Amino acid sequence: MIILDTQKDYKKHINLLKSQGEIISLVPTMGNLHDGHLSLVKIAKKKSSKVITTIFINPLQFGKDEDFTSYPRTMSQDVDKLQKLNCDILFAPKSKNEVFNKIDNLKNLKAGPKGNILCGKIRPGHFDGVLKVIYMLFQLTEPDLSVFGVKDFQQLYLIKQMAKIYFPKLKIISAPTIRNKNGLALSSRNSYLDKTSMEIAPVFYKILLDGINYLKNSNNVEETVNYITTNLEKNSFLVNYVSFLNAELEKIKLNTSDKKILLSSVKLEQTRLIDNVEFS
Ligand code: PAF
């Protein structure tokens, strides 16, 4: 695996791959790689001839009281994991300037109204920051495809919308959520959970699944949201939101075969967990 940390070297390698006619896939991450990230790399491997993973903890997507400085940094373990999967290139920019050299051009890149609901409501500006880094990585890499996890459903939706406008030839692949054996969705932030919270955390997903059954019987969204919220609170979760939306992040219509998603974010002690479940 070739490891690069400057934009200049990265661009040089990208140009070489392009001149060789390689099909390039991009897997952007913030590192602290777990099996969820590795599943994205595996999907990328199957669908392209060269896989590039990026590791960059993007300061623009963290609020001022958030965990930018404490976000887990595990570069040498991450490199080992990527090497085992035969990832071709790791781009791990050594500074912000190796990504955002043209930040002025990005001022107008905003996630818009759908970036201000759900997680965007509790993390103002978060999705603007995500779109800015992804826009830069797409522009630098010009990949044929890029893989993102469905676990961050709103992020995936907003990246797809942005890519449609600015990178119309790029294919965005959605990868299924990877869970531990108890059902907890894998996330780098799970490493913040202590032993007791680790035992409680899987209940989050169970309550969401139970909520979908409740909706099927009650046929009443508001009542179901209250039911789920009460259940989460009873189990020590502080609820940020519980929301039933369609694939366009709009209000669902019941009694249709449309794809519906139950999305939720909670806090357990100081740790924010997000999860979602699709159903029809
Ligand atoms: O999901 C993440 O890890 C990050 O938000 C992403 C997409 C790598 C952008 O920094």
Side-chain angles (χ1 to χ4, degrees):
M1 181 171 72
I2 299 168
I3 304 176
L4 303 164
D5 65 1
T6 66
Q7 188 176 124
K8 194 164 160 245
D9 289 346
Y10 185 57
K11 261 320 268 181
K12 213 159 78 191
H13 272 82
I14 296 293
N15 291 339
L16 185 69
L17 297 183
K18 295 260 168 208
S19 69
Q20 292 165 341
E22 303 286 1
I23 300 181
I24 302 174
S25 59
L26 180 73
V27 181
T29 81
M30 298 204 298
N32 191 233
L33 304 180
H34 51 64
D35 284 351
H37 298 112
L38 302 183
S39 76
L40 309 181
V41 177
K42 286 180 194 159
I43 292 172
K45 276 259 56 87
K46 282 198 192 127
K47 293 187 182 281
S48 61
S49 58
K50 292 288 172 198
V51 176
I52 301 172
T53 301
T54 64
I55 295 184
F56 176 62
I57 305 179
N58 168 31
L60 300 189
Q61 68 186 79
F62 288 80
K64 70 173 172 22
D65 298 323
E66 292 187 353
D67 53 346
F68 174 68
T69 44
S70 57
Y71 197 85
R73 286 154 170 86
T74 52
M75 190 57 85
S76 69
Q77 292 96 313
D78 293 350
V79 167
D80 286 351
K81 288 175 186 172
L82 291 172
Q83 255 156 355
K84 280 199 186 107
L85 291 183
N86 293 320
C87 173
D88 299 284
I89 293 182
L90 167 62
F91 179 44
K94 64 178 177 192
S95 75
K96 201 174 143 189
N97 295 343
E98 301 298 339
V99 184
F100 294 115
N101 61 339
K102 295 181 200 148
I103 190 86
D104 280 353
N105 301 348
L106 295 175
K107 274 199 183 122
N108 297 329
L109 188 68
K110 297 260 184 244
K114 285 181 185 168
N116 296 331
I117 57 171
L118 308 171
C119 285
K121 197 168 175 182
I122 49 169
R123 305 183 70 188
H126 167 67
F127 289 115
D128 295 343
V130 170
L131 291 191
K132 285 184 168 103
V133 74
I134 296 301
Y135 178 95
M136 282 313 297
L137 292 173
F138 285 171
Q139 202 179 58
L140 284 172
T141 315
E142 294 175 47
D144 297 282
L145 55 103
S146 189
V147 193
F148 295 87
V150 158
K151 177 184 163 267
D152 297 296
F153 189 90
Q154 187 178 12
Q155 165 172 285
L156 174 61
Y157 173 85
L158 294 166
I159 290 172
K160 276 187 182 164
Q161 298 308 308
M162 185 271 284
K164 251 189 224 164
I165 300 169
Y166 298 103
F167 306 93
K169 287 194 205 135
L170 167 62
K171 196 164 177 218
I172 304 290
I173 314 259
S174 317
T177 301
I178 305 295
R179 299 178 182 281
N180 75 10
K181 64 178 189 323
N182 300 322
L184 176 66
L186 298 191
S187 159
S188 299
R189 289 195 171 90
N190 291 352
S191 64
Y192 299 154
L193 298 169
D194 63 18
K195 196 166 171 280
T196 317
S197 297
M198 233 5 225
E199 278 161 20
I200 301 169
V203 178
F204 181 28
Y205 179 54
K206 293 192 176 75
I207 292 176
L208 297 185
L209 292 179
D210 176 55
I212 290 169
N213 277 332
Y214 190 96
L215 178 70
K216 287 184 177 162
N217 293 321
S218 70
N219 222 23
N220 182 324
V221 173
E222 206 184 320
E223 185 186 315
T224 308
V225 168
N226 288 337
Y227 170 78
I228 296 170
T229 305
T230 308
N231 244 340
L232 287 167
E233 285 169 353
K234 263 194 233 156
N235 284 278
S236 316
F237 297 103
L238 188 88
V239 178
N240 291 320
Y241 62 81
V242 171
S243 195
F244 285 96
L245 297 176
N246 68 15
E248 295 298 313
L249 295 180
E250 286 156 355
K251 227 171 140 182
I252 56 165
K253 290 193 188 87
L254 291 176
N255 310 316
T256 65
S257 59
D258 297 355
K259 188 155 100 176
K260 303 175 187 66
I261 305 111
L262 168 56
L263 304 111
S264 181
S265 162
V266 294
K267 252 185 155 183
L268 184 57
E269 300 293 338
Q270 289 314 305
T271 305
R272 189 178 45 247
L273 305 175
I274 64 169
D275 205 344
N276 66 78
V277 188
E278 276 183 36
F279 63 105
S280 51

